[in-house]
Amino acid sequence: MSERTASQELKNLIRKLSKIGIAISREKNIDSIWK
């Protein structure tokens, strides 16, 4: 894997994790996250 590909993969992972974090923080019913 080239350095550029690894960098792009890392950016994509951070973007996905950010979206997950935002979705979780918007959830009012915490119990629904664990089901």
Side-chain angles (χ1 to χ4, degrees):
M1 182 180 301
S2 71
E3 188 173 321
R4 173 175 273 178
T5 304
S7 177
Q8 190 62 43
E9 288 288 323
L10 185 57
K11 286 178 185 176
N12 288 338
L13 180 59
I14 291 170
R15 203 172 287 127
K16 287 177 185 178
L17 290 173
S18 294
K19 287 181 180 182
I20 291 169
I22 290 167
I24 290 173
S25 68
R26 288 181 178 159
E27 182 56 57
K28 302 289 187 246
N29 182 2
I30 299 301
D31 291 333
S32 71
I33 294 173
W34 304 111
K35 293 181 179 178

